[in-house]
């Protein structure tokens, strides 16, 4: 049976509408062209039969073959150089930007075109093209129609794809297009795959070489409008580019990851769809974008949140939304897909939207607090109603159990971080009261805030273990409590936090500084390691913090991408990729090292 590449083998392409993954051996194994959380046309990532578009030298991976790749500076345009015994060839891949797009226009009207440009560098290299689209997560096999210009039109269900390959005349097979051709030094061949709707506008037609140049300029112009002057500039700039690539430009929402159902543990069942936007990630994302000097992105993201939440009633604020603010993203299983390395089920949708997670209002309020000066001395109606509604909901519900930051699918508990987030929500509401009008009740909010603090300090601390644990009355450690100093609930220098940090390092960490979320977590979670970096800075251990940061960033793949988790024994990446939280953690930790008293 066909072997699937390691998760870290994939590079990320984006047009800020959709994203694609391309492997080291030149195969596009994931693309949902309509939008990030839309249906796929290539999904070999989750099943060898679910569609791909491979373009690589014949004999890829054989004797004398090696590959090197890198993004063009300040872009998500990926250049892969294949070195073979017969010569070298470069393939440059991108998702096309709209003609003339610059700066903050990037992605708003993307044409949904995948560009692949082949360039001969030396010798003569025999190349092979294998185009096998399988729409609807592999449920559909399209009809293939040869076109007068040498291209092939693929159509099935609601979509069409047009493949063109420069001057090459392609022949349609029964269910795929295969073609071999030779590339000599100096020869350039541009290819593109354009997406269209069966009953809508036809696929866009572009000149691949011109579109590639235009896309490169668009990304670079975008990055020129964002300046970061702190430590680890290249890492921060690249991670902010990845976050931009995960941003759905039409609304400003940031997808938690590009993919669905990549496993936290090979063969396991914790395989979730992360192509939506989590309110929990919102505050962290805002913080990271602010650090990376992206104020326009923060304002767009903020507008998306207020619109998506809508009027707040008795029901819990939803945990996540679709990228245009859809609330119901109910989950179903794709039983026809075998999953990445047989890790099932494969899920589309995420039922975490139904959960009660009490930390969510606090995350949103923290973002409002961070942008309070930017938002004005008097809040507009929708923002004011959201802040008042969040404060009142927290005041009414903080004593309830919930599912916690890690979205457990077992019993609800009284999670420490959830309670601290309730404290955070009311603390920030008190500070914002003068902008909220006559219905603000800062005295009552402050009283409840102080009660929450007393309860957390009493019930969250485990004297026998010498640490704050994950939930009241539980001996189970949880790395989420490292966020307590970040939220300014308790100084990192407090003896209880110092002890907690030491216990978490000892019991959840590795010698390399990787940190699990809890003791039975099968892999490390990069965000937790970056939280630890911040805590070490705040305790004055700058040298240790820098060393830890530099070890953790070393686990990124060869093009600087982080997935959701890292295998403790092998160091390979696991889970959905690229993962926004991992890159957010990197940005915020770098800024903490730069300015220890920031935030």
């Amino acid at each position: 049976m066909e072997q699937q590449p390691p998760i870290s083998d994939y590079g990320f392409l984006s047009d800020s509408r959709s994203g694609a993954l391309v492997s080291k051996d030149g195969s596009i194994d994931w693309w949902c062209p309509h939008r990030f959380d839309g249906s796929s046309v290539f999904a070999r990532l989750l099943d060898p039969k679910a569609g791909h578009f491979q373009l690589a030298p014949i004999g890829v991976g054989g004797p004398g073959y090696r590959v090197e790749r890198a993004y063009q500076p300040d872009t998500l345009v990926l250049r892969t150089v294949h070195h073979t015994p017969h010569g070298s060839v470069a393939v440059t891949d991108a998702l096309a930007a709209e003609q003339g797009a610059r700066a903050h226009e990037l992605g708003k009207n993307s044409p949904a075109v995948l560009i692949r440009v082949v360039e001969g560098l030396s010798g003569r290299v025999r190349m092979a093209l294998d185009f096998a689209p399988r729409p609807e997560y592999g449920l559909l096999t399209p009809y293939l129609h040869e076109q007068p210009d040498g291209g092939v039109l693929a159509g099935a269900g609601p979509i069409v794809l047009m493949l063109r390959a420069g001057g090459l005349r392609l022949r349609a097979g029964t269910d795929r297009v295969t073609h071999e051709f030779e590339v000599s030094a100096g020869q350039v061949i541009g290819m593109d795959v354009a997406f269209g709707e069966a009953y809508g506008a036809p696929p866009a037609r572009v000149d691949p070489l011109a579109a590639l140049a235009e896309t490169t300029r668009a990304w670079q112009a975008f990055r020129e409008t964002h300046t970061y002057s702190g430590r680890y500039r290249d890492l921060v700039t690249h991670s902010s580019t990845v976050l931009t690539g995960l941003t759905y430009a039409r609304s400003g929402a940031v997808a938690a990851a590009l993919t669905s159902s990549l496993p936290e543990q090979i063969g396991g069942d914790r395989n979730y769809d992360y192509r939506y936007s989590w309110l929990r990630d919102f505050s962290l994302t805002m913080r990271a974008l602010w650090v990376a000097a992206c104020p326009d992105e923060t304002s767009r993201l903020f507008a998306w949140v207020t619109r998506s939440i809508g009027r707040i009633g008795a029901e819990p604020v939803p945990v996540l939304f679709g990228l245009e603010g859809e609330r119901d993203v109910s989950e179903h299983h794709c039983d026809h897909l075998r999953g990445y390395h047989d890790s099932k089920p494969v899920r589309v949708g995420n039922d975490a939207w139904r959960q009660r997670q009490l930390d969510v209002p606090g995350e949103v309020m923290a973002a409002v607090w961070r942008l309070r000066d930017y938002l004005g001395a008097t809040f507009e109606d929708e923002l004011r109603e959201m802040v008042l509604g969040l404060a009142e909901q927290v005041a009414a519900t903080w004593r309830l159990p919930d599912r916690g930051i890690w979205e457990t699918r077992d019993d609800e508990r009284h999670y420490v971080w959830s309670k601290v987030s309730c404290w955070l929500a009311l603390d920030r509401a008190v500070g914002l009261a003068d902008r909220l009008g006559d219905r603000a009740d800062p005295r009552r909010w402050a009283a409840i805030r102080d009660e929450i603090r007393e309860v957390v300090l009493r019930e969250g601390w485990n004297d026998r273990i010498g640490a704050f644990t994950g939930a009241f009355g539980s001996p189970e450690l949880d790395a989420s409590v490292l966020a307590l100093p970040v939220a300014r609930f308790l100084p990192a220098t407090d003896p209880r936090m110092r002890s907690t940090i030491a216990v978490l390092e000892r019991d959840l960490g590795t010698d390399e500084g990787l940190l699990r979320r809890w003791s039975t977590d099968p892999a490390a979670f990069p965000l937790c390691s970056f939280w630890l970096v911040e805590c070490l800075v705040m305790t004055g251990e700058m040298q240790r913090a820098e060393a830890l940061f530099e070890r953790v960033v070393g686990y990124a793949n060869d093009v600087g991408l982080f997935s959701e988790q890292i295998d403790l024994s092998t160091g390979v990446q696991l889970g959905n990729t690229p993962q926004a939280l991992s890159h957010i953690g990197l940005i915020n930790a770098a800024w903490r090292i730069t300015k220890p008293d920031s935030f």
Side-chain angles (χ1 to χ4, degrees):
M1 188 172 287
E2 184 178 348
Q3 185 67 27
Q4 292 161 297
I7 292 169
S8 57
D9 263 18
Y10 287 98
F12 171 44
L13 312 177
S14 173
D15 56 10
S16 287
R17 160 182 169 157
S18 67
L21 292 180
V22 54
S23 66
K24 285 184 177 179
D25 62 4
S27 185
I28 305 288
D29 288 346
W30 184 258
W31 188 29
C32 302
H34 179 63
R35 67 185 220 183
F36 292 113
D37 55 353
S39 184
S40 70
V41 295
F42 304 132
R44 182 156 69 173
L45 187 69
L46 298 177
D47 191 301
K49 298 178 181 178
H52 64 277
F53 176 20
Q54 186 162 17
L55 179 62
I58 292 175
V60 61
Y65 172 85
R66 64 183 178 88
V67 64
E68 55 185 341
R69 58 184 182 166
Y71 285 109
Q72 303 288 59
D74 296 330
T75 77
L76 291 180
V77 175
L78 184 63
R79 187 172 189 265
T80 303
V81 179
H82 302 271
H83 299 285
T84 79
H86 308 289
S88 297
V89 63
V91 178
T92 303
D93 294 313
L95 288 174
E98 181 189 8
Q99 178 71 24
R102 293 291 183 271
H104 303 291
E105 299 170 353
L106 181 66
K108 291 185 177 179
N109 293 289
S110 299
V113 177
L114 171 67
I115 305 166
R116 313 201 75 177
V117 173
V118 182
E119 178 187 0
L121 302 178
S122 66
R124 298 174 67 86
V125 179
R126 192 78 180 163
M127 300 286 291
L129 175 156
D130 183 8
F131 175 73
R134 298 291 184 268
E136 297 283 332
Y137 305 105
L139 285 174
L140 295 174
T141 300
Y143 291 104
L144 302 175
H145 303 282
E146 295 174 7
Q147 302 297 297
D149 64 359
V152 172
L153 180 70
I159 70 99
V160 292
L161 295 173
M162 178 66 76
L163 168 65
R164 299 184 180 94
L168 304 178
R169 177 161 290 280
L170 303 175
R171 298 299 182 192
T174 303
D175 64 351
R176 67 206 310 131
V177 177
T178 59
H179 188 80
E180 293 186 6
F181 60 100
E182 196 168 71
V183 180
S184 302
Q187 187 177 4
V188 178
I189 300 173
M191 304 182 185
D192 69 278
V193 179
F195 165 78
E197 298 175 353
Y199 306 105
R205 187 175 189 117
V206 303
D207 175 340
L209 301 184
L212 180 63
E214 184 72 13
T215 300
T216 302
R217 285 194 295 269
W219 276 106
Q220 291 174 340
F222 182 86
R223 286 268 62 89
E224 287 169 2
T225 65
H226 306 80
T227 57
Y228 170 79
S229 57
R231 298 276 303 278
Y232 307 106
R233 182 181 182 279
D234 289 347
L235 291 171
V236 169
T237 298
H238 182 56
S239 284
S240 64
T241 301
V242 173
L243 287 182
T244 302
L246 289 170
T247 300
Y248 182 68
R250 295 184 183 185
S251 67
V254 178
L258 178 65
T259 57
S260 174
S261 300
L262 291 182
E264 297 178 12
Q265 183 177 23
I266 299 299
D269 62 358
R270 287 181 57 86
N271 321 315
Y272 301 119
D273 191 346
Y274 280 3
R275 297 173 297 160
Y276 307 106
S277 195
W278 268 252
L279 291 186
R280 173 180 301 107
D281 298 0
F282 170 62
S283 178
L284 295 170
T285 305
M286 295 282 283
R287 182 180 166 201
L289 291 172
W290 198 256
V291 165
C294 305
D296 286 338
E297 282 68 40
T298 59
S299 61
R300 281 197 303 148
L301 181 56
F302 210 94
W304 173 83
V305 166
T306 56
R307 175 177 288 272
S308 297
I309 290 177
R311 288 195 177 274
I312 298 171
E315 291 297 313
V317 175
V319 177
L320 67 142
F321 294 92
L323 299 178
E324 293 184 358
E326 301 89 346
R327 185 166 291 205
D328 185 343
V329 292
S330 295
E331 182 177 300
H332 69 273
H333 294 179
C334 296
D335 293 329
H336 64 287
L337 297 176
R338 55 174 262 209
Y340 180 81
H341 285 269
D342 297 312
S343 302
K344 298 187 76 169
V346 171
R347 293 177 168 96
V348 171
N350 195 310
D351 276 344
W353 76 275
R354 305 175 189 274
Q355 294 185 355
R356 175 169 55 232
Q357 297 180 21
L358 294 178
D359 65 305
V360 170
E363 308 287 3
V364 177
M365 294 286 271
V368 177
W369 178 257
R370 185 173 310 285
L371 290 182
R372 61 193 182 281
D373 294 335
Y374 187 75
L375 294 168
T378 302
F379 288 171
E380 295 181 357
D381 290 348
E382 289 185 4
L383 177 59
R384 183 179 64 251
E385 290 301 314
M386 182 185 77
V387 172
L388 287 167
L390 290 172
E392 290 300 334
Q393 186 170 99
V394 169
T397 63
W398 74 269
R399 292 183 181 277
L400 296 175
D402 75 326
R403 298 301 178 99
I405 187 173
W406 308 126
E407 300 181 349
T408 60
R409 297 197 173 190
D410 54 10
D411 296 335
E412 292 185 335
R413 295 179 173 84
H414 293 281
Y415 287 100
V416 170
W417 173 246
S418 295
K419 304 303 185 188
V420 171
S421 289
C422 291
W423 169 91
L424 176 65
L426 293 176
D427 182 71
R428 302 309 188 254
V430 169
L432 294 167
D434 61 349
R435 307 176 192 220
L436 300 177
D438 295 340
R439 288 161 52 212
D441 196 352
R443 182 174 296 181
R444 180 170 59 90
W445 293 342
I448 299 171
R449 174 199 63 189
D450 294 344
E451 182 183 2
I452 295 172
R453 181 181 175 84
E454 291 175 7
V455 170
V456 170
L457 293 178
R458 182 178 67 248
E459 303 293 337
W461 173 259
N462 188 306
D463 199 50
R464 181 178 63 82
I465 294 173
F468 288 102
T469 57
F472 291 176
S474 170
E476 182 70 36
L477 295 172
D478 190 319
S480 65
V481 300
L482 290 172
L484 270 61
V486 177
R488 299 188 182 277
F489 178 82
L490 202 63
T493 52
D494 183 284
R496 290 164 293 186
M497 274 312 307
R498 283 189 180 273
S499 178
T500 298
I501 293 167
V503 169
L504 291 173
E505 279 196 275
R506 183 192 69 206
D507 293 353
L508 298 185
T510 69
D511 292 341
E512 293 302 312
L514 296 177
L515 209 64
R516 295 171 293 162
R517 291 170 291 182
W518 56 79
S519 61
T520 57
D521 201 4
F525 204 78
L527 175 65
C528 297
S529 294
F530 289 127
W531 275 341
L532 178 56
V533 169
E534 292 201 60
C535 286
L536 292 176
V537 172
M538 289 186 281
T539 60
E541 300 176 82
M542 182 63 77
Q543 196 168 11
R544 283 190 64 210
E546 292 171 343
L548 173 59
F549 179 86
E550 290 164 14
R551 286 198 302 273
V552 176
V553 299
Y555 285 94
N557 76 354
D558 61 315
V559 289
L561 299 178
F562 274 104
S563 297
E564 179 184 1
Q565 293 192 263
I566 299 169
D567 186 273
L568 293 170
S569 58
T570 65
V572 302
Q573 299 201 24
L574 294 168
N576 287 304
T577 194
Q579 178 84 354
L581 276 181
S582 299
H583 289 276
I584 289 165
L586 183 156
I587 292 170
N588 291 335
W591 187 243
R592 182 73 69 181
I593 291 171
T594 300
K595 290 189 177 294
D597 296 327
S598 60
F599 308 119

